[in-house]
Amino acid sequence: HVQLVESGGGSVQPGGSLRLSCAAAGYTGSYFCMGWVRQPAGKEREAVAQIYLGDGSTYYADSVKGRFTISQDNAKNTVYLQMNNLSPEDSGMYYCTAGEWYVGRCPPRNYAQGTQVTVS
């Protein structure tokens, strides 16, 4: 059973930066991947960034390309989401996710507790 613990988030002004962290434990399988989905208030969830821990392959939503960077620290079983040049449209609940990498994506199977990001 995969356990995910995320941290980070908070409030920032437009143009600012935030970093999210997510530590994983209890995973198995050769194609383990992690990422983040976000859910603005009243809107559907959107996958924003994902990473395959086996080789570092990544996926980014078009809306965050060039501003968000997902990275991994295998020694700590942790992934990070560096978010730069934030805008109000980036506000929402951010959920760390885990799954198995498939055709360049990481369909979520597990979710962390979520952290709020507010840009205003």
Side-chain angles (χ1 to χ4, degrees):
H1 178 69
V2 177
Q3 294 180 321
L4 303 172
V5 178
E6 67 178 308
S7 59
S11 297
V12 66
Q13 294 182 344
S17 299
L18 287 172
R19 189 176 83 155
L20 307 181
S21 302
C22 184
Y27 59 86
T28 59
S30 301
Y31 300 99
F32 185 71
C33 59
M34 297 175 66
W36 271 269
V37 300
R38 67 184 179 190
Q39 186 167 22
K43 298 184 179 180
E44 295 185 354
R45 287 182 179 179
E46 170 194 28
V48 295
Q50 300 169 335
I51 188 166
Y52 168 42
L53 275 66
D55 65 6
S57 296
T58 58
Y59 161 82
Y60 293 97
D62 288 342
S63 58
V64 307
K65 284 181 180 177
R67 300 186 300 121
F68 290 13
T69 301
I70 190 169
S71 61
Q72 62 188 91
D73 183 338
N74 288 343
K76 297 181 180 179
N77 298 327
T78 300
V79 296
Y80 304 95
L81 184 65
Q82 178 67 41
M83 305 183 291
N84 297 328
N85 193 22
L86 287 162
S87 70
E89 289 71 31
D90 294 314
S91 297
M93 283 294 292
Y94 281 67
Y95 298 91
C96 175
T97 65
E100 290 196 350
W101 193 253
Y102 180 74
V103 195
R105 296 292 299 274
C106 185
R109 292 188 178 180
N110 305 92
Y111 289 81
Q113 75 277 13
T115 186
Q116 179 69 37
V117 171
T118 302
V119 185
S120 65

